[in-house]
Amino acid sequence: MVLHSMTSREELAMDFSSQEQDSITFGKKSGCFMNRCCSALLLALFLCSLLATGLLVHYLTPGCRSGSDLVTDADHASSAGFQPTGKNSLEPQPEPEPEPEPEPEPEPPAKVRDVRLPLHLVPEGYQVRLLPSLEEDGDFTFSGEVTLTLLAASSGRNVTVHVKDLVVENDTISVRDTTAGAALPVSGVRYDADREFLVILLPRDVQPQHRYDVTIRFTGNLKDKLAGFYRSSYEGPQGEKRWLAVTQFQPTDARQAFPCLDEPALKATFAITLGRSVNMSSASNMPITRTEPIDGKPGFVWDVYEKSVPMSTYLVAFMVSDLASREADPGVSETLFRVWARPAAIEQAEYARKIGPQILEYFEEFFKTPYPLPKQDMAALPDFSAGAMENWGLINYRETAMLYEPGVSSAKNKQRVAVVVAHELAHQWFGNLVTPSWWTDLWLNEGFASYVEYIGADKVEPSWRMMEQFVTNEVQNVMTTDALETSHPISIKVHHPDEINEIFDRISYEKGASIIRMMSHYLTSETLRNGLANYLNDRKYEAATQDDLWRFLTEQAHRDGTLASDISVKQIMDTWTLQMGYPVVKVERNYRDGTAQLSQKRFLLNGAESASEYLWWVPLTYTSQGTADFDTTRPSTWIRKQPQMTLTDMPPSDQWVIFNTQETGYYKVNYDQQNWVMITSQLANDHTAIHTINRAQLIDDALDLARAGMLGYDTALSVLGYLGSEVEYLPWDAALNNLAYVNVQLKRTAGYGLFKRFILKLIQPMYERVGFEESASDAHLDHFTRGNLLNWACSMGHPDCVKRSVDQYKRWMADPDNDSIIAANQKSVVYCTAIREGGEEEWEFAWARYQAANVAAEKSRLLSALGCTKEIWIMSRYLNWTVTPDSGIRVQDGAQVFSTVAYNSVGRYLAWDFLRDNINLVAKVYGASSFMLSRFIRTLQYGYNTELDLKQLKEFFSANAAILTSAEREARQAVEYSTTNVAWMKKNYDTIVRWLKEQESR
């Protein structure tokens, strides 16, 4: 994952007091009480302390900013729920006060933004010892001790580390100057809740270039919120609950497991020791060196791990469980490779066990850099908030992202496993070996991994045509989000953890991948690989910025002659990484003199002119009807960050021209009307003359341009006219993805019947060609094409599709243990259709099958299908189960359940009402996990297209701003989508209905 350049540190003023506590709970606010006598005594002590503090600050504070400036603000301490729990703790009890007059609701407090650590101490190593309690009748806690070895880079009078939701035993804190061989007394301990800082106050400055060992003991809770060091469970063979303790630290949750300097650039070595029952096993980033008994705790042992290579805190991982494991077959890779899963699911890890070592070995060749660790574990976890996490040497996965069961899992499930495994293994180099110095450049990690995952999957499954799929899956997908005014640059300054969490989004992943693909085409793949290898070798075990990468790529491109000597990669790429959005290039041909005027401006879905005068370096590739050269993807010229330019080599006036060959550039293209007519005519007469990817590009560009009001819908929809003869997956995927927007916009209007008949007529030739049933000769993408068509056909009421689905489901209900009745690739559409057409009986059957399923992909499919019902009361109960403990819906799946009801046209407003009525409960259940709450809010970006919808969205977000801090960007984007949808309806509804009527009358 990612990080980037350090922002400047602002001074953090904090109060320091001589009062010490024996232990402190770092977390949510707790109540404290005391009597009047104690109150008076404390007040006197407080005033004396203020006087003493003033004198100390006046005489002892250094004149320049360093670690000595870092003291705790009393307001921060009180807001933290600063809770003494040791023998010297006091219990203040304020006098009751009269109830104040009701006042207007205050504005939510602004988030603290100066959250960076002082840098007078930098970490070199950690020794971490943890003992989790996983007994069924236990309290699900863990105890630990950490010793941090810190190097003093400059003077400072404190040790500041990150801590969150831990109880620190203050009287165990020790600081030792190992260079001088002397202990350093601790004069106080304070906590800054806003910054999640534990500040250990010292009586004198640390000495530059001295090393210090800081030891802290602590305890914490193994919570079920899927962040930090947390607990998960699964059902054993006798129906018993089996517990495990696992980690998810990225981006800022290592501090929930042990005190640390939790910033990505502050790399150090880690020596992990894990306690466990002898009936369980453990795993961490490195191999185990020895196992020894725990004194005084019979039946428990310590697993002592090798010291790691230098790495960031967010990549540390450990697990205590009774999961089963299997090693990969020898000979594929020199690295020890293992997979972990529930004992009942370990067979499903076979595909990952097979391809993982192959991809790891290939990436060593691709990055021209050896994998640096002695082993690689991959664990499929019952509860996991993300899809997967690239912890160095111990990658954790959600079960759906690693497990595959032939005959039950679909072709899409299999592809997801391959892609996610490749993504996480790519991170072992890009992100782990070299780490961005701050989260500003998260995109460097996620963008590269999201691009290289296709290369890795293509290596092990070459028949899947992964590099073609990239265009509709990544490029076209992210362009919709990036065409919003509420988008953001992929390299963006972030501060608070909520801001960091927000940028784990499509922009960082999919746009990052798209511009790297563009770069690979204009530099050539060989130049890119050699430049990457130089970058990785030079910066290994260190942090870097995007400018470091640009320098290595520029040097390699100049050596290879793939980039002009007067141009740098930074010049080009800064226009793509430091600006949000992307351009639409307008091509207006002069058919008399054979020239074309090209202009660029930012493309916005709302069709507005951008308030920012963005210009890009745009790589231009193009071909014409006469040459039809779609294989040349290196640019022949550039729009050099200028508003317009003229090309003089256009084809004859009776021939079309198509720009952006194979959609290698991250931009859209619009043409004059005559060129669009010639392209449409070519598609109708012989669409194979145009490359498959460019057919998908033309469809996507045309419909998006129409959506933005830059092209008439009559022209855009005419581009689709040839689809009756299209047999390739990619153009159909682009078409159906775009028509989905029109579908949801029209769904509650009088014109929807016209649209349904248009769609059924459009897909009928392809439906007849591919059929409902699978064939043994089907290629991988044939399954995808059929799946798309059946989803549309059944949802539009296609009689044959609906009947076959309902019949197959009834046969399955009569023989529930027969997995062969419904083909794996048809399960999603059959389940949803039968539940939509059926009632309570069909729904309850699916719920029972969900509870009994052992394959995660099947459970996920059933969860989605259960939201297809038309029964309001069932949907209402289903939504309530997302916030009901032990309902059967895991926390990791709550947002999926909510979204599947919200995407149901019958359930949309039911889900909306549920969220508005229960937002506090939803936030309580899901808000502690880094990304869960934002997934609920993201659902509101879909289908709200009336003035009332827009008004209610604005009111909801305004009233709940304090709750939705981690989903602020999603909320703003939901409002923008709704605003754009309302305007679209006003502008385009009548036009589209008129066009549909004309098509029906032909």
Side-chain angles (χ1 to χ4, degrees), residues 85-153:
T85 61
K87 59 190 174 187
N88 296 330
S89 64
L90 301 174
E91 297 187 353
Q93 184 173 4
E95 286 188 39
E97 295 181 1
E99 297 239 351
E101 292 293 321
E103 294 182 1
E105 190 75 24
E107 289 290 320
K111 283 183 284 198
V112 170
R113 293 172 62 80
D114 54 334
V115 297
R116 303 294 295 276
L117 288 165
L119 290 181
H120 62 294
L121 291 168
V122 293
E124 290 189 332
Y126 294 80
Q127 297 174 53
V128 182
R129 181 183 291 257
L130 292 163
L131 177 60
S133 174
L134 289 169
E135 290 77 17
E136 181 67 42
D137 56 351
D139 53 3
F140 295 112
T141 60
F142 61 93
S143 59
E145 179 180 281
V146 61
T147 297
L148 304 88
T149 298
L150 307 173
L151 175 66

Side-chain angles (χ1 to χ4, degrees), residues 735-748:
L736 296 176
N737 286 342
N738 279 276
L739 288 170
Y741 176 75
V742 182
N743 180 55
V744 74
Q745 285 288 90
L746 299 182
K747 203 152 200 174
R748 291 170 292 156

Side-chain angles (χ1 to χ4, degrees), residues 404-413 772-774 783 786-788 790-791 794 801 804-806 808-813 815-836 845-846 849-850 853-866 868:
Y404 170 76
E405 177 69 11
V408 179
S409 304
S410 67
K412 283 201 170 183
N413 298 143
F772 188 92
E773 303 295 343
E774 293 188 342
H783 296 305
R786 182 181 292 106
N788 275 349
L790 295 186
N791 278 329
C794 280
C801 185
R804 286 173 179 264
S805 296
V806 170
Q808 286 193 5
Y809 193 84
K810 285 180 178 177
R811 286 170 54 207
W812 185 40
M813 290 177 68
D815 188 5
D817 294 324
N818 187 346
D819 288 331
S820 65
I821 292 173
I822 306 171
N825 293 299
Q826 262 86 302
K827 287 177 183 287
S828 290
V829 67
V830 168
Y831 294 176
C832 182
T833 303
I835 290 171
R836 182 174 59 243
F845 173 79
R849 299 314 299 168
Y850 162 76
N854 183 46
V855 178
E858 176 75 348
K859 293 179 83 73
S860 179
R861 244 192 321 258
L862 285 161
L863 276 181
S864 292
L866 287 164
C868 295

Side-chain angles (χ1 to χ4, degrees), residues 244-266:
L244 58 153
V246 294
T247 57
Q248 169 56 27
F249 290 162
Q250 200 261 353
T252 58
D253 288 323
R255 64 194 69 175
Q256 293 194 50
F258 57 94
C260 56
L261 284 75
D262 201 10
E263 293 187 2
L266 302 180

Side-chain angles (χ1 to χ4, degrees), residues 541-591:
Y541 305 118
E542 296 181 13
T545 70
Q546 70 171 20
D547 283 353
D548 292 320
L549 178 59
W550 300 157
R551 175 167 55 86
F552 282 99
L553 291 177
T554 299
E555 291 171 358
Q556 189 66 46
H558 288 166
R559 279 194 295 270
D560 294 347
T562 55
L563 194 65
S565 59
D566 63 331
I567 301 174
S568 71
V569 172
K570 176 177 170 59
Q571 276 178 283
I572 297 168
M573 297 307 292
D574 276 359
T575 67
W576 297 98
T577 64
L578 303 182
Q579 301 178 150
M580 71 176 79
Y582 57 89
V584 53
V585 173
K586 180 67 182 292
V587 180
E588 295 182 284
R589 295 173 60 181
N590 185 323
Y591 292 92

Side-chain angles (χ1 to χ4, degrees), residues 33 81 279 314 374 435 478 851 900 906:
F33 304 94
N279 298 320
Y314 79 91
T435 308
V478 72
Q851 292 178 304
T900 197
V906 178

Side-chain angles (χ1 to χ4, degrees), residues 906-918:
V906 178
R908 179 184 306 157
Y909 289 112
L910 185 69
W912 176 215
D913 289 344
F914 170 82
L915 188 62
R916 283 186 294 179
D917 293 343
N918 296 280

Side-chain angles (χ1 to χ4, degrees), residues 170-186:
N170 289 3
D171 56 4
T172 69
I173 297 175
S174 66
V175 181
R176 182 173 179 80
D177 183 338
T178 58
T179 304
L184 195 59
V186 174

